Amino acid sequence: MRASGILMPVFSLPGPWGIGTLGREAYRFVDFLADARQSFWQILPIGPTGYGDSPYQSFSAFAGNPYFIDLDLLVQDGLLTPDELPPALPVEPIQYGALYTQRPAVLRLAAGRLLASPTPAYRDFCRQQKGWLEDYALFMAIKEEQGQAGLSQWPDPLRCRQPQAMADARERLAGACGYHRAVQYLFYKQWQALKSYANGKGIRLIGDIPIYVSPDSSDLWTRPELFQTDGRMHLTRVAGCPPDSFAADGQLWGNPLYDWPRHAAEDFAWWKQRMRHATSIYDVVRIDHFRGFESYFSIPAGSATAQGGQWVQGPGQAFLDAMHQAVGRDAVIAEDLGYLTDQVKALLAASGCPGMKIMQFAFDSREPGNYLPYTYTPNSVVYTGTHDNITTEGWQQSASPQDVAYACRYLRCAPQDLTDAMICACLSSVSGLAVIPMADWLHLGPEARINTPSTQGGNWQWRLSPGLLTPALAGQIAALTELYGRAPGQN
């Protein structure tokens, strides 16, 4: 298969409600993709986000982000009235503080009306998703009661799930739990409708799941024995990456690390549940930090940087066998970037999953790996850059003159044509799938960067300005997609 797609986070879509939603602009983007002869839309994780607003630090590995619920669709469903809609927010950048203040009040109105007259579809959703929904709803209700404090700051009886404290909380917070169940139903109703529309247009959705869960999550709270804790919900080791030429102190993510022997003893049941859920809401799943399944970087909890960490053996082939049993071999993309040993490469080959190639890395003298296009294989996915990279226009501005000159010499282009040359190099490569970030198609600069790893503040805020998704741009993308044999029907 030779196909192409566009990387565009849902939250980056335009719209009146302060963040991209699952309403009109999302459907418009699907139409744009179809007009541009694309086959895939890749997004970032869609879970509810907490401190720092990162989609890779979610309150749940299964829940959807309430910010994505489209309010106009709730009006159409009779759960809101037009005069109850909040004022429109500026298109860019995203104002998370305003969303945090504004969104719950209006969703409570809609959820209250749903709960006053529960539909059969709502009851079915609660029954089908009970395996994660009940614990998530209670977690969020307690979190609200605790003034949004993180899990580690909860009183011991609640943090450690003492039976009497849990029973009391379920009774005391029954109304709040109902609200969070209803919100998840509203999210997934809209999500599945959008996915059906996209699939009907020939667009498949590539979802993204972080390898790790958040330290402030219902996942850790519900099953602490599956993670490296001290038995009282305190982390003993945390995740990150070692120092390299991009980050002198490494990256200290702070996520809980898995107790892999315990997962293996349960035949990876929790991960099977997670992957089955992911493949039910996406067509293809990109697993972030795939190398962590071969070996993972373990840092003592409480460390100021990642420098004191060490590599520890991961679950390896046994994990892959369990995932293949659960969801097959054709629904996963492996994010295999970073420090790759021969063992990691062997595990990727054994998985059968396509790995990732980054065109910017091919010409970055700091990158130790070889990402030049002639090294690619058909079983790979190539990008100009990802959400963690600067845009290609920004790369040209920030890279060393020597690196830019090398890229231009290799791609046979003038500096002003470098972004187009990198896009064409991706599309013309042997990689089975080429995914181009929307910001690169638009030739946007550093202002459109989505995330800068190892930094806080200013991330996850870029939004697409209205009017940029023009018929002319769709035609330009379609022409290049067809030129390089990646349009639907050309394979």
Side-chain angles (χ1 to χ4, degrees):
M1 179 189 73
R2 283 179 60 80
S4 65
I6 290 178
L7 171 61
M8 178 71 173
V10 174
F11 61 72
S12 294
L13 291 170
W17 309 123
I19 195 170
T21 69
L22 304 177
R24 179 183 59 196
E25 296 299 335
Y27 285 79
R28 182 185 171 214
F29 187 69
V30 170
D31 290 340
F32 175 86
L33 291 174
D35 291 342
R37 306 293 310 277
Q38 301 302 286
S39 301
F40 290 90
W41 176 12
Q42 181 169 334
I43 61 176
L44 298 187
I46 58 174
T49 55
Y51 178 77
D53 308 309
S54 171
Y56 293 91
Q57 297 286 357
S58 178
F59 294 136
S60 169
F62 299 88
N65 192 333
Y67 291 164
F68 292 160
I69 296 173
D70 187 79
L71 303 184
D72 290 324
L73 292 179
L74 297 185
V75 172
Q76 293 180 23
D77 290 340
L79 296 174
L80 292 175
T81 62
D83 61 342
E84 290 171 336
L85 297 180
L89 293 173
V91 171
E92 54 181 342
I94 296 170
Q95 299 183 12
Y96 289 102
L99 286 166
Y100 176 80
T101 301
Q102 177 193 87
R103 188 53 64 94
V106 68
L107 288 180
R108 287 187 192 281
L109 293 174
R113 288 166 184 147
L114 172 65
L115 293 172
S117 301
T119 63
Y122 170 69
R123 297 186 189 279
D124 287 345
F125 173 82
C126 291
R127 182 172 59 254
Q128 294 165 4
Q129 306 300 326
K130 185 177 180 180
W132 63 269
L133 182 60
E134 292 300 315
D135 283 309
Y136 167 76
L138 183 58
F139 173 85
M140 295 302 293
I142 294 174
K143 188 172 178 62
E144 289 175 354
E145 185 183 53
Q146 296 298 315
Q148 301 298 338
L151 174 60
S152 64
Q153 299 172 310
W154 290 8
D156 285 357
L158 291 172
R159 190 185 73 253
C160 297
R161 297 176 64 91
Q162 294 178 8
Q164 189 59 53
M166 294 292 288
D168 292 345
R170 289 191 182 95
E171 181 177 357
R172 183 175 70 251
L173 301 172
C177 290
Y179 162 74
H180 287 290
R181 285 193 293 268
V183 165
Q184 286 305 301
Y185 167 74
L186 296 175
F187 171 88
Y188 275 112
K189 179 185 177 183
Q190 292 189 4
W191 175 263
Q192 293 294 0
L194 177 63
K195 181 178 182 295
S196 295
Y197 183 81
N199 290 166
K201 289 275 188 173
I203 307 299
R204 301 173 67 193
L205 300 183
I206 302 176
D208 193 325
I209 65 171
I211 183 174
Y212 296 122
V213 304
S214 168
D216 187 22
S217 69
S218 60
D219 313 292
L220 173 63
W221 182 61
T222 305
R223 296 294 308 275
E225 70 277 11
L226 295 178
F227 303 90
Q228 296 183 29
T229 69
D230 64 359
R232 296 188 61 79
M233 211 68 70
H234 298 125
L235 306 182
T236 56
R237 311 283 294 191
V238 298
C241 279
D244 58 21
S245 55
F246 293 91
D249 290 330
Q251 297 181 32
L252 179 60
W253 300 337
N255 300 80
L257 290 171
Y258 296 107
D259 183 336
W260 283 119
R262 178 61 182 260
H263 281 268
E266 297 184 7
D267 194 27
F268 303 98
W270 183 87
W271 263 98
K272 287 180 178 179
Q273 179 191 11
R274 187 182 188 190
M275 290 299 294
R276 289 187 183 113
H277 176 76
T279 52
S280 75
I281 63 174
Y282 307 121
D283 298 297
V284 179
V285 177
R286 171 192 180 271
I287 300 182
D288 187 58
H289 199 59
F290 179 88
R291 72 138 301 127
F293 298 121
E294 191 284 321
S295 56
Y296 59 91
F297 201 63
S298 172
I299 305 165
S303 298
T305 72
Q307 289 186 334
Q310 62 185 33
W311 289 103
V312 179
Q313 191 67 40
Q317 189 63 46
F319 174 84
L320 293 183
D321 292 342
M323 294 308 102
H324 290 155
Q325 179 186 23
V327 299
R329 294 175 175 269
D330 300 326
V332 175
I333 294 171
E335 189 273 284
D336 59 338
L337 307 176
Y339 174 61
L340 303 182
T341 63
D342 290 341
Q343 292 84 356
V344 175
K345 295 175 183 177
L347 186 67
L348 178 64
S351 76
C353 300
M356 291 174 53
K357 307 297 181 183
I358 307 299
M359 191 65 65
Q360 288 182 20
F361 287 171
F363 310 108
D364 195 320
S365 55
R366 299 171 299 171
E367 171 56 53
N370 186 352
Y371 286 89
L372 289 169
Y374 74 82
T375 67
Y376 299 171
T377 63
N379 192 32
S380 65
V381 184
V382 61
Y383 304 75
T384 48
T386 73
H387 62 279
D388 284 332
N389 296 106
I390 198 168
T391 64
T392 302
E393 289 285 324
W395 182 85
Q396 183 177 353
Q397 298 170 25
S398 60
S400 71
Q402 294 82 4
D403 287 352
V404 174
Y406 174 39
C408 291
R409 190 166 66 251
Y410 188 97
L411 298 173
R412 311 299 295 171
C413 69
Q416 63 267 26
D417 299 323
L418 184 56
T419 294
D420 284 337
M422 282 199 183
I423 289 173
C424 291
C426 290
L427 296 175
S428 64
S429 74
V430 298
S431 294
L433 176 60
V435 180
I436 309 299
M438 194 69 230
D440 282 351
W441 280 117
L442 293 167
H443 290 249
L444 299 180
E447 75 282 356
R449 181 168 190 162
I450 294 173
N451 179 52
T452 302
S454 301
T455 67
Q456 293 185 350
N459 295 319
W460 319 110
Q461 293 184 343
W462 174 69
R463 296 188 73 197
L464 181 70
S465 296
L468 292 181
L469 299 180
T470 63
L473 178 61
Q476 173 193 342
I477 296 173
L480 285 176
T481 302
E482 293 166 357
L483 177 64
Y484 293 111
R486 293 186 179 272
Q490 287 189 290
N491 298 322

